[in-house]
Amino acid sequence: MSSTGSLMAIGLMSGTSADGVDAALVRILPGARAQAETMGFLAAPYPRDLRERLLLAGGEAGVLTDEICSLHREVGEAFASAALEVASRSGVRLEKIDFIGSHGQTVRHLPEGAEGARGPLLPSTLQIGDPAFIAARTGITCVSDFRARDVAAGGAGAPLTPWAHRILFSRESAASAFLNLGGISNITYLPPLGAGGVFGFDCGPANMPLDALAGRITNGEKTHDADGGLAAAGRVCPDTLAELRRHLYLERKPPKSTGRETFGEAFVDETIEGIVSRGGDLKDAIATLTAFSASCVADAIRDFLPTDPPLAEVVVGGGGVHNKTLMRRLREALGDLPLIESDARGVSPGTVEAVCFALLAWGTLTGQENNLPGVTGAKEAVCLGNITPGRNFASLMRRFLDSA
């Protein structure tokens, strides 16, 4: 058990790109304004075969239930290994870690339902990565399945991290925004500290279609356009970009969320067809989609974020920060609005989402309402997540009771 007055947690995250597990070791300091300090971080890539199977499971066709059943355990084992490794590399004994918050791996996210082969499908979401195996291998209590509780409350189940972004990035006397460039881009509006009105939503695709195209361009040698070099070698097709910017998702008002179901392989295929029909190639497609990712963000800020008070800055995190072409396009699209990488505000870009799920788990274990109905569209504020007891569960609960 960690020292009195602070908690030690691990946050585990894998996004829509399904490239691996991000694990952050976090010290949480509760108080009138909670604080989080990153003590260690690990990005653990999935083995190639596992990633390919996860992309199939999350694709339009899907896979059989026995494959999902096995993947549920395999992903749980991968998450547990990442938790053990980040603790080991940080020199922290497992008995010093109080709890784990695991997002899991999304294989289906249907916040509005869908039309199935045998009729309508209900609003639902599925993240795999069995927390029982995380708790069994680490001995640490695990909080998981955060999105399902928000969907049960009538919400979209996403984005959930604005609740934690408020803790990490709110400014005393200025409005700002936090932008996450993951597989999907999502943005959180942060009013001055103490003021109401935090909200957020998914802007549109970011790295997910770019990753798919990077794999096609390099015949599988690259899983993503890490530095934006592939996009820089192509030419933006203005007619295709204009068509993309008229996508129906972008016209919808928040709250809203999206994912692979809307911007997955079928979307990439349609974009390539449009580019090729105009004389372009795959590098032109990735250049155009990179520009589109930037425009989704800039258009979302212009169309949906408050202007009074005006934004002082946009803080950006996520893997897309390393894509120089995407960041250049973003700065061009945002004009005079400052774009600040999150490490300048105390959290390294790659660690933000994993840190957020450590904070969300803390909210769950302390009984806080850790969704934001103004963000997800839920009918009420609720306490998210399911708790899987580890060997430390009884002592952890006694600690929370003693501090109540």
Side-chain angles (χ1 to χ4, degrees), residues 291-356:
F292 177 56
S293 294
S295 71
C296 286
V297 173
D299 291 346
I301 290 173
R302 184 195 64 237
D303 293 343
F304 302 125
L305 264 58
T307 57
D308 185 19
L311 293 180
E313 64 185 18
V314 175
V315 180
V316 59
V321 168
H322 305 296
N323 184 321
K324 295 176 183 177
T325 304
L326 176 56
M327 292 294 286
R328 175 171 58 82
R329 292 286 184 188
L330 265 175
R331 288 192 167 93
E332 292 170 352
L334 293 177
D336 294 334
L337 181 58
L339 187 68
I340 309 295
E341 294 186 18
S342 63
D343 50 6
R345 298 293 177 262
V347 189
S348 178
T351 71
V352 175
E353 297 297 274
V355 171
C356 285

Side-chain angles (χ1 to χ4, degrees), residues 7 98-99 362 365-366 395-404:
L7 296 159
D98 298 306
F99 56 87
W362 166 68
L365 289 164
T366 52
S395 60
L396 181 63
M397 290 301 97
R398 282 195 298 270
R399 179 172 181 187
F400 284 133
L401 287 171
D402 290 343
S403 63

Side-chain angles (χ1 to χ4, degrees), residues 252-276:
R252 285 175 44 201
K253 295 180 179 180
K256 60 179 181 177
S257 69
T258 189
R260 192 172 296 280
E261 296 75 21
T262 302
F263 293 109
E265 291 291 325
F267 169 77
V268 173
D269 289 340
E270 291 170 7
T271 302
I272 292 172
E273 289 176 11
I275 293 284
V276 171

Side-chain angles (χ1 to χ4, degrees), residues 170-176 189-196 309:
S170 289
R171 292 179 52 165
E172 290 286 347
S173 56
S176 61
Y189 171 74
L190 299 166
L193 191 64

Side-chain angles (χ1 to χ4, degrees), residues 12 46 70-82 102 128-135 137:
L12 301 172
Y46 285 135
S70 179
L71 284 171
H72 187 37
R73 172 170 181 168
E74 291 174 59
V75 173
E77 296 276 10
F79 273 53
S81 293
S102 173
I128 61 173
D130 196 340
F133 287 94
I134 299 174
R137 285 197 58 198

Side-chain angles (χ1 to χ4, degrees), residues 13 17 81 122 148 155 176 186 200 217 259 261 266 282 291 293-294 302 319 333 344 354 363:
M13 172 71 191
S17 296
S81 293
L122 294 176
S176 61
N186 55 72
I217 292 169
E261 296 75 21
L282 290 181
S293 294
R302 184 195 64 237

